[in-house]
Amino acid sequence: MIEEGSKSSKSMVEKRQLFMEMRAQNFDVIRLSTYRTACKLRFVQKRCNLHLVDVWNMIEAFRDNGLSTLDHNAEINVSRLETILSSIFYQLNKRLPTTHQINVEQSIGLLLNFIVATYDSEGHGKLTVFAMKAMLATMCGGKILDKLRYIFSQISDSNGVMVFAKFDQFLREVLKLPTAVFEGPSFGYTEHSVRTCFPQQKKILLNTFLDVLMADPPPQCLVWLPLMHRLANVENVFHPVECSYCRSESMMGFRYRCQQCHGYQLCQSCFWRGHASGPHSNQHQMKEHSSWKSPAKKLSHAISKSLGCMPIGEPPHPVFPEAAERPQDLAHTTTLESPSRLDEEHRLIARYAARLAAEASNSTQCPPTDLSFNFDANKQQRQLIAELENKNREILQEIQRLRLEHEQASQPTPEKAQQNPTLLAELRLLRHRKDELERRMSALQESRRELMVQLEGLMRLLKDEEQKQAAQTGSSPHSSPSHSASCTMPMPIRSTSAGSTPTHTPQDCLAGVGDDVLDAFSQGVPRNLRNDLLVAADSITNTMSSLVKELHSVDDGLDDEEENMRNGREKVSSLKHSGKRHSTPSF
C-alpha cells in the first residue's frame, strides 16, 4: 500500500512538473495576452523538445504509426499515444549529432502529461486522432506555411475546398492549447470563432486559406500562432541599442520604437511589462522590430527608396495551384526501418504471396511454372529491398559522421581569436574609420542644409532687387524676358534632386555666405550668382554621394570581416587598401 501511494504521488508530481516550471518563468507579468500566450506555448514547445521536430518529420511519424489511414474521429488510448511519442523522439535522436542528444524519456513524459491534461481533462484515457494531429502539427517546429498547408489538407475535401465543419473542429481542438496554459478567457473556443476567421460563407481554397491565416493581423482567435513563430526567429537577434527605460546597452529578441517620442526605444522585457518613462506613455503606438540595421545601411536604404531603386516586396506566401492537394503523408520518403516494422512488412509480403498462390491454384489458366516464377521473383525483390535498406543505413551513418565532423571543425574557440592580435587591431581601425565617416556624413548634411537655406534667401533677394529696378524704370518685371527667366528657375526641384528641400525661413539670409555675395549686394547692383550657387550645390551633392558610397563599402566590408573571422586577414588587408585609395572629401 505504501509503494502504491508513493507511485501515485510521483505520477502526480510528474504531471504537474511542466506547469510548475512554466509558472516559475513568471510569464503572467506580461500585460498583453497575445504575447503572454505565445511565450507560454513557446516555453512548452522548447521544454518538450518539440521545436527540434520539423513538421515534415511529424507527418512522417503519423504515417509510420498508421495514423494516416485512420478516421479523424477514431480514438486512441494513452498507451498507444506514448508509443507514438516514443517513435517521434527516438527518430529525432537518430537525426541529431551525438553531442546534441536529448533525454528521450523525459521528453516523452513531459509531452504525454501535457497532452493528457489538455485533451483528456476528464480522465477517460482516450483522445481522437484529429486532436493529436492538430496539437502536434501546431506545436512542432518548422515553417508556419508548411503547417497551414498540412492542416488544410486535413480539413478539405477531394476537390480542394475547405469543409467548414472540419475547420470548426480544428479550431475546437487547437484552441485548447491556450486554455491549457490558463489563457482560455482570451483565446478559448466559441461558437463564433469560425465566423471571425471567414466572415462570409464562401468557397475557401488553399490560397484564400493561407491569405486569411497569414494576414497582418491574423484572425483574433489565432493571433498567438504567428507570434509564436516570430518569437522563435528573434530569440538570438542582437540590437546594439540602449533601452530608454532599463538603460540596458543591448537588446535581445524584439525591439520596440515609439512612433511619437523621437529616439525612444524599449527592449521586449520592458515593453511586455508596460514600463514607460519621461513623456512616453503606454498609449503611444509602438513599432516592433525583429532585426537591426546600421546607420549606413539605413541611409543607403533611404536613398535607394527615394530614387525608386527598391525591389518589389515578395508576397507573404507563394501562390499554389487551385487543384486539390493530396494529404501530405510523405509515403515516398526513406526512413530507418525498425526490426518490428520490417517483420510486419515481411508478414504482409508473405500473406500477399500466399493469396497469389491460392489464386493461381484456383485458376486453370496459369500453369504451375508461373507460380514458381512468382515465388522466385518475390524472393529476389525481398533480397533487393534488403540490400537497398542496408545501403541506405550505411549512407545515413556516413552523413551523420560527416555532419558531426563538420560541426566540430566549425566550432569557434577562444584560442583562434587570441592567435590573431593583428587582425583584431586592424578590425578596430576599420571601426574607427567607419565612425569617422559617419561623423563626416552628419557634418556634410548640416552644411548642405545651410546652403539650401542661403540659396532660398538669395533667390528672394534677387527677386526683390529686380522688382525695385523695374519700379524705378517704370516697367513691369514681366516685360523683360531675360530677367523673368532668370528669376523663376525652379529651385525646389533642384534641391529635391540633391536630397532635401528647405522647409523653414532662415533667420539671416546672408549669414555665412562668401565675400563676393556681400560685395555684390552692398553695391546695390545684383550680380548673377545663381550659376555659382547651383555649381556649389552640385558639388556638395556629388561629395555627399561619393561619401555615401565609401561609407557603404566600408560598412559592407566590416560585416564581411565579422562573418569570416578565420580568414579575415586577407579581407581586412583589401579593405584597408581600398580605404586608402578613396580620398576623404573636405568640407
Side-chain angles (χ1 to χ4, degrees):
M1 294 294 291
I2 297 176
E3 293 181 357
E4 293 179 357
S6 61
K7 289 182 180 179
S8 62
S9 61
K10 182 179 179 180
S11 177
M12 291 298 294
V13 170
E14 291 178 351
K15 290 182 179 180
R16 296 177 181 177
Q17 178 182 355
L18 184 63
F19 295 99
M20 293 172 63
E21 293 179 1
M22 184 179 67
R23 288 183 181 276
Q25 299 295 320
N26 200 21
F27 291 121
D28 291 330
V29 300
I30 302 176
R31 63 188 183 97
L32 299 177
S33 60
T34 304
Y35 287 96
R36 191 167 59 243
T37 305
C39 288
K40 289 180 178 180
L41 292 178
R42 175 63 178 169
F43 172 79
V44 173
Q45 183 190 47
K46 295 182 65 176
R47 188 66 181 86
C48 297
N49 288 315
L50 277 176
H51 67 296
L52 302 175
V53 184
D54 192 80
V55 61
W56 301 107
N57 301 127
M58 192 65 71
I59 299 171
E60 181 183 352
F62 295 159
R63 192 249 322 163
D64 291 341
N65 289 275
L67 298 180
S68 58
T69 59
L70 294 179
D71 185 77
H72 283 175
N73 296 322
E75 293 184 341
I76 58 175
N77 53 27
V78 177
S79 61
R80 185 172 182 185
L81 174 61
E82 186 175 3
T83 302
I84 296 171
L85 298 182
S86 300
S87 67
I88 291 173
F89 287 112
Y90 277 112
Q91 289 294 332
L92 172 62
N93 254 358
K94 291 180 180 179
R95 294 189 298 269
L96 293 176
T98 55
T99 56
H100 294 79
Q101 298 288 300
I102 65 171
N103 189 338
V104 174
E105 297 299 330
Q106 185 183 33
S107 300
I108 294 172
L110 291 174
L111 183 56
L112 180 65
N113 291 327
F114 179 75
I115 294 177
V116 171
T118 303
Y119 293 98
D120 188 30
S121 58
E122 298 180 359
H124 296 302
K126 294 182 179 180
L127 69 157
T128 63
V129 173
F130 186 74
M132 191 192 66
K133 282 185 176 182
M135 183 271 172
L136 293 178
T138 303
M139 292 295 294
C140 68
K143 299 180 180 179
I144 187 173
L145 176 64
D146 298 332
K147 292 183 180 182
L148 294 178
R149 287 183 60 195
Y150 172 72
I151 291 170
F152 185 82
S153 68
Q154 301 296 307
I155 62 174
S156 58
D157 57 16
S158 58
N159 296 322
V161 180
M162 188 190 76
V163 180
F164 277 85
K166 291 184 179 180
F167 179 67
D168 182 76
Q169 184 183 4
F170 166 73
L171 289 181
R172 190 186 300 272
E173 301 297 343
V174 79
L175 291 181
K176 290 180 182 179
L177 294 173
T179 304
V181 293
F182 315 106
E183 297 296 334
S186 300
F187 300 106
Y189 172 81
T190 62
E191 297 180 354
H192 306 287
S193 297
V194 178
R195 294 300 177 192
T196 59
C197 298
F198 301 98
Q200 300 178 357
Q201 183 84 12
K202 58 182 180 179
K203 184 179 179 181
I204 305 299
L205 300 176
L206 174 61
N207 292 314
T208 306
F209 180 79
L210 296 176
D211 288 340
V212 173
L213 268 66
M214 296 183 68
D216 187 17
Q220 180 60 30
C221 61
L222 294 173
V223 69
W224 51 270
L225 180 58
L227 179 57
M228 185 176 69
H229 287 78
R230 296 206 307 273
L231 280 174
N233 294 331
V234 302
E235 284 182 347
N236 298 320
V237 174
F238 175 77
H239 305 270
V241 183
E242 181 183 17
C243 178
S244 300
Y245 182 84
C246 66
R247 299 303 176 185
S248 175
E249 296 182 356
S250 60
M251 303 181 189
M252 292 293 292
F254 287 121
R255 174 171 56 92
Y256 298 89
R257 182 167 56 88
C258 182
Q259 301 297 291
Q260 299 183 25
C261 304
H262 177 70
Y264 194 91
Q265 302 189 77
L266 293 176
C267 62
Q268 67 176 20
S269 179
C270 293
F271 175 75
W272 289 355
R273 286 159 175 78
H275 295 325
S277 60
H280 178 70
S281 172
N282 291 331
Q283 305 300 323
H284 291 181
Q285 184 179 2
M286 304 289 286
K287 185 176 181 180
E288 181 183 278
H289 294 273
S290 58
S291 61
W292 164 255
K293 292 183 180 179
S294 63
K297 288 186 177 180
K298 289 181 180 179
L299 180 61
S300 62
H301 177 83
I303 294 175
S304 301
K305 186 176 181 181
S306 63
L307 297 177
C309 300
M310 295 299 297
I312 300 175
E314 297 181 356
H317 65 83
V319 179
F320 297 96
E322 298 296 344
E325 281 198 342
R326 295 180 180 180
Q328 301 169 10
D329 55 359
L330 296 184
H332 59 281
T333 56
T334 302
T335 58
L336 292 174
E337 303 290 348
S338 61
S340 59
R341 181 166 180 82
L342 287 175
D343 294 339
E344 181 181 356
E345 290 185 353
H346 289 322
R347 288 194 296 270
L348 290 174
I349 293 174
R351 286 200 299 269
Y352 183 67
R355 188 175 67 181
L356 290 178
E359 292 178 356
S361 61
N362 294 331
S363 176
T364 58
Q365 298 179 356
C366 295
T369 56
D370 293 340
L371 181 61
S372 62
F373 176 77
N374 290 334
F375 279 120
D376 293 338
N378 290 331
K379 184 177 180 180
Q380 293 177 0
Q381 290 177 359
R382 288 197 297 271
Q383 291 177 354
L384 180 60
I385 290 173
E387 292 177 0
L388 293 176
E389 288 173 351
N390 292 330
K391 290 182 180 180
N392 186 36
R393 291 192 185 94
E394 294 176 359
I395 292 173
L396 290 177
Q397 291 175 0
E398 183 67 17
I399 291 174
Q400 185 175 359
R401 184 184 64 80
L402 293 175
R403 183 184 299 171
L404 179 60
E405 292 179 357
H406 176 70
E407 290 181 354
Q408 291 177 352
S410 61
Q411 287 180 353
T413 58
E415 290 78 7
K416 294 181 181 180
Q418 295 176 0
Q419 290 175 0
N420 296 319
T422 306
L423 179 64
L424 296 177
E426 292 176 350
L427 187 60
R428 284 194 294 269
L429 288 176
L430 278 178
R431 292 181 183 275
H432 179 71
R433 177 173 177 77
K434 174 187 172 185
D435 296 337
E436 181 182 356
L437 289 175
E438 289 179 351
R439 290 193 298 269
R440 288 179 178 273
M441 173 62 70
S442 300
L444 179 60
Q445 290 177 346
E446 182 65 22
S447 300
R448 184 184 172 283
R449 186 185 64 81
E450 293 177 357
L451 178 60
M452 292 299 104
V453 173
Q454 294 172 9
L455 282 173
E456 184 181 5
L458 291 175
M459 287 300 300
R460 188 161 51 252
L461 289 176
L462 287 173
K463 282 186 177 181
D464 295 341
E465 187 64 25
E466 289 178 353
Q467 290 177 358
K468 290 180 181 179
Q469 290 181 357
Q472 291 175 0
T473 57
S475 60
S476 175
H478 297 285
S479 62
S480 177
S482 60
H483 283 235
S484 177
S486 63
C487 292
T488 58
M489 180 175 291
M491 287 300 296
I493 298 179
R494 186 77 178 187
S495 62
T496 303
S497 65
S500 64
T501 303
T503 57
H504 61 280
T505 303
Q507 298 295 332
D508 187 1
C509 297
L510 297 178
V513 300
D515 295 336
D516 293 338
V517 178
L518 291 175
D519 294 341
F521 284 104
S522 61
Q523 294 173 3
V525 180
R527 298 173 58 185
N528 190 9
L529 299 177
R530 181 179 297 102
N531 293 333
D532 296 338
L533 292 174
L534 293 179
V535 168
D538 288 339
S539 176
I540 291 292
T541 302
N542 295 332
T543 306
M544 177 181 175
S545 301
S546 62
L547 184 58
V548 167
K549 294 179 181 178
E550 184 176 1
L551 181 60
H552 191 270
S553 64
V554 172
D555 186 77
D556 289 344
L558 187 58
D559 291 340
D560 293 338
E561 194 64 30
E562 293 175 348
E563 292 178 357
N564 301 284
M565 196 69 175
R566 289 174 295 178
N567 56 354
R569 186 179 299 275
E570 297 179 357
K571 291 185 177 294
V572 169
S573 178
S574 64
L575 287 175
K576 194 172 181 181
H577 290 306
S578 67
K580 292 179 179 180
R581 285 197 302 268
H582 292 287
S583 60
T584 304
S586 58
F587 300 94

